[in-house]
Amino acid sequence: MTITATQQTELPVDAALRARAGKVIPSGMYGHMNVTLMPAGFPQFYAEGKGNRLWDVDGNEYLDFMCSFGPMISGYANPVVDAAALAQQKRGDALGGPTARMVELAELMVDTVAHADWAMFAKNGTDATSLAVTIARAATGRKKLLKGGTAYHGANAWFNPNPLGSTPEDRANIIDFEFNDLASLEAAAAEAGGDAAAIILSPFRHDAPGSTDQYIVDPAFARGVRALADRIGAVLIMDEVRTGFRLHTGGAWEPLGIEPDLTAFSKAMANGYAISSVVGIDSLRQPAADIFATGSFWYAGAAMAAAIANIGLLTATDTPAQMNRVGQLLRDGLQSQAAAHGFTVFQSGPPAMPFLRFEDDDSLATAAAFTDAAVRRGVLLHPAHNWFLSTAHTEADVAWALERTDDAFAETRTLFG
């Protein structure tokens, strides 16, 4: 199907699937993929992805700026990545033990990430952050975790933003601080009273979805975090589950000359194949070996083969620069369009992971209306979560999208006077 500027409003197949899902899946869908609270134009179910395009089950086509919330970085159905995964799949995936791909991928991670002396693998981001915290506690013999405010570090009992199902004891050892605020971090460390196992944070502030702007790290804050961790003997954990390979093909703070002790990766590692990793410094190698952490699918070879191929593509050229350049074109165009239609918008975060917020829109009503109008015109955005660029997005794609977002701003203006 070729998308025109006409609105896509018919989703009968999607509606039928939602009705069926409601009978066999709690609430019909769960987690961050649940579109129940999203505007009506958002499909729940998709049929196909190729390059930077998605097709829903009703055949509607979308230029995707969500990239499956980050895993897609080299284009859906990338032939190089898929061929590597398929070749391993034909020989076996989850076998009686790992394949040689595990060693090859660990070697690649150590070669790619400056501070990495070893690597472990799992399946999703929560696996990776949980592993990192466990290793830090095993290494230090301490309990407390210093965490940036409303930052999201996984759907486990420690970090899940929804406390339902966890206990106060699960969170008793977490002490919050404000990102980019060294005094706040020092106060959290003082409150820990010598029992701080780790400081966990992301390369820049991208908190749980909502109306909060993203904040690029202040280099002085980054240096202060590293110095404080060294001073109090805490492990510095970098959560790159969302940012990995989009900001920098190694560690995101490497351009600042600052290295963490442990880093958690997932999402974009294998371009959509399920895998995550924790990499760490040599002094944490033995604690990582001493803990018991496992999963029957953690050692499967196909996703590891995909990761090897994908990281090879990403390191062949300066892909973060490419994504930032195209993302900046999108950002500049949206800023001009918003002003032309009488909206004040704030855009934050790196251009490869942009976030757009409307002025005086705490309820997100304006953002919901705008993204609904954009989605119905074939441009997939999100009202409350950062978007993602990929190497499959081009200048021509941005120009195509901006033709439709201009109409989306116009429609939104009619709704809000």
Side-chain angles (χ1 to χ4, degrees):
M1 168 180 285
T2 300
I3 308 175
T4 67
T6 57
Q7 297 181 31
Q8 302 171 159
T9 57
E10 299 298 321
L11 300 172
V13 180
D14 188 84
L17 279 170
R18 290 195 200 197
R20 290 167 58 190
K23 297 177 182 178
V24 293
I25 298 171
S27 78
M29 193 52 58
Y30 47 86
H32 67 295
M33 294 291 186
N34 185 353
V35 301
T36 303
L37 300 179
M38 298 289 282
F42 282 73
Q44 179 67 82
F45 295 97
Y46 293 90
E48 184 181 356
K50 187 170 184 179
N52 55 38
R53 305 281 170 151
L54 285 175
W55 287 263
D56 66 27
V57 290
D58 287 281
N60 296 309
E61 182 182 347
Y62 305 89
L63 175 55
D64 180 18
F65 287 107
M66 289 308 297
C67 299
S68 190
F69 287 81
M72 189 278 275
I73 192 170
S74 298
Y76 292 112
N78 182 282
V80 174
V81 178
D82 287 358
L86 180 60
Q88 181 59 54
Q89 186 73 52
K90 287 180 176 179
R91 300 177 67 184
D93 186 17
L95 303 173
T99 71
R101 305 295 84 72
M102 185 174 187
V103 178
E104 294 163 3
L105 181 55
E107 290 171 339
L108 180 59
M109 294 297 288
V110 168
D111 289 343
T112 302
V113 181
H115 76 274
D117 294 313
W118 51 265
M120 298 174 70
F121 303 104
K123 278 298 173 188
N124 58 50
T126 297
D127 288 342
T129 56
S130 299
L131 264 174
V133 166
T134 303
I135 293 166
R137 283 174 163 163
T140 62
R142 300 173 182 176
K143 300 177 182 177
K144 305 292 185 183
L145 306 175
L146 310 188
K147 167 187 167 290
T150 55
Y152 176 75
H153 294 298
N156 57 29
W158 307 324
F159 299 132
N160 195 322
N162 182 347
L164 189 64
S166 63
T167 68
E169 290 80 7
D170 290 326
R171 298 163 187 255
N173 290 305
I174 295 177
I175 303 172
D176 292 337
F177 63 87
E178 288 297 318
F179 193 88
N180 272 344
D181 185 338
L182 268 178
S184 173
L185 179 58
E186 289 278 2
E191 183 179 342
D195 197 26
I199 303 169
I200 183 169
L201 75 171
S202 300
F204 71 95
R205 178 178 169 176
H206 54 74
D207 287 0
S211 57
T212 303
D213 291 338
Q214 301 182 129
Y215 294 97
I216 302 299
V217 70
D218 180 343
F221 175 75
R223 289 190 293 271
V225 172
R226 178 69 272 178
L228 176 64
D230 291 339
R231 191 175 81 238
I232 66 175
V235 175
L236 177 53
I237 300 172
M238 188 64 61
D239 178 355
E240 289 225 47
V241 169
R242 199 186 302 189
T243 62
F245 300 99
R246 273 193 168 85
L247 302 187
H248 188 69
T249 48
W253 281 8
E254 285 178 22
L256 301 177
I258 300 166
E259 298 179 356
D261 302 312
L262 296 171
T263 298
F265 292 99
S266 188
K267 288 191 183 285
M269 270 186 70
N271 198 47
Y273 289 86
I275 193 167
S276 61
S277 179
V278 174
V279 300
I281 60 174
D282 194 58
S283 63
L284 295 175
R285 185 191 304 266
Q286 193 58 50
D290 290 341
I291 66 169
F292 183 76
T294 193
S296 295
F297 298 107
W298 286 15
Y299 310 92
M304 293 181 181
I308 292 167
N310 188 52
I311 295 169
L313 292 175
L314 296 175
T315 55
T317 59
D318 191 355
T319 49
Q322 175 192 342
M323 289 182 280
N324 276 322
R325 177 177 56 80
V326 176
Q328 190 62 49
L329 291 174
L330 178 65
R331 174 172 284 176
D332 291 345
L334 292 172
Q335 198 74 31
S336 296
Q337 289 177 349
H341 289 283
F343 289 107
T344 298
V345 298
F346 303 93
Q347 299 192 73
S348 57
M353 297 176 60
F355 179 69
L356 183 146
R357 175 176 64 85
F358 286 82
E359 184 179 44
D360 298 327
D361 190 35
D362 290 346
S363 69
L364 299 177
T366 311
F370 169 69
T371 53
D372 183 47
V375 166
R376 285 186 280 105
R377 289 165 171 84
V379 182
L380 190 60
L381 305 173
H382 196 287
H385 193 288
N386 73 272
W387 312 334
F388 295 88
L389 275 291
S390 76
T391 63
H393 290 98
T394 67
E395 294 180 16
D397 293 317
V398 168
W400 187 96
L402 289 172
E403 291 180 13
R404 286 144 183 84
T405 55
D406 194 43
D407 288 343
F409 276 117
E411 179 183 318
T412 305
R413 174 48 65 202
T414 66
L415 297 174
F416 290 89

